[in-house]
Amino acid sequence: MTSLWDTVGDAMQLLFAADPELWGIIGISFKVSMSALLLALPIGLLIAFGLAYGNFIGRRFLITSFNTLLSFPAVVVGLTFYILLSRQGPLGEWRLLFTQPEMIIGQMALAIPILVAMDHSALQAIDRRAWETARTLGASLPRATMTIMREARFGLLAALLAAFGRIISEVGASMMLGGNILHYTRNIPTAIALETSKGEFAQGVALGLVLLLMAFTLNGMLQLVQGKGRLAA
């Protein structure tokens, strides 16, 4: 049996040799996840802002619902959209199943609860008088909103990074909705699952190293921003 160090060596060789199949998988993964995050970001921020500064019937229920959805299994999200978009489903005529747009929809469904819950917490931590003062001094609604977002920027950035880390590493929804099609819907997590099941560990380890490096980079970026240019001790 191939030793661990041999496997890691083969994985590093694949990464540094610019293996086209490996980097194609990485490219698809980042393309899909970045698209999902960019689409989910304004939706999550808008809902969070409404929950933080709005006053309407059902507000507490919505806050509880989004907090509950934080622990919603990715595979259940995948199953839900699979049923909706399968040929026998109510949205089957859209023909989105096993496509990148469908993977983006599934990842958006995973990202939005994280963005709403964490953005809401960040916005609520800001003194409400900052909003009231801005409006009293004649600031327009967009300008007052930007003032609040600037005050809550560290929490909002943490939400953004957490959502990205969640969707780029999930496997259940991607496998069910994308179908793991080579050169089209095969992303990092589904490729790792496939290669491991085949006993081909080198590519799986290489892709795992990419995810590990990404996680370290995202956390490092957050620490730099929160420390105003200096890593926290």
Side-chain angles (χ1 to χ4, degrees), residues 37-48:
L37 186 64
L38 290 175
L39 291 171
L41 179 59
I43 298 173
L45 190 56
L46 183 63
I47 296 173

Side-chain angles (χ1 to χ4, degrees), residues 47 51 61-70 112-114 116-117:
I47 296 173
L51 293 175
F61 173 77
L62 287 175
I63 293 173
T64 302
S65 298
F66 279 108
N67 287 332
T68 302
L69 289 174
L70 286 173
I112 288 174
I114 297 175
V116 171

Side-chain angles (χ1 to χ4, degrees), residues 26 32 38 40 59 125 134-135 143 157 166 191 204 208 220 225:
I26 295 171
V32 169
L38 290 175
R59 175 174 169 270
R135 295 294 286 160
R143 187 168 182 178
L157 179 59
R166 160 78 157 147
V225 172

Side-chain angles (χ1 to χ4, degrees), residues 69-111:
L69 289 174
L70 286 173
S71 59
F72 207 61
V75 69
V76 177
V77 172
L79 177 61
T80 301
F81 282 102
Y82 184 92
I83 293 172
L84 290 174
L85 291 159
S86 64
R87 290 194 175 185
Q88 293 76 29
L91 304 178
E93 60 184 19
W94 291 5
R95 299 182 181 276
L96 289 176
L97 201 59
F98 305 139
T99 64
Q100 288 185 11
E102 175 60 2
M103 293 174 67
I104 290 173
I105 292 172
Q107 291 191 7
M108 285 177 63
L110 292 170

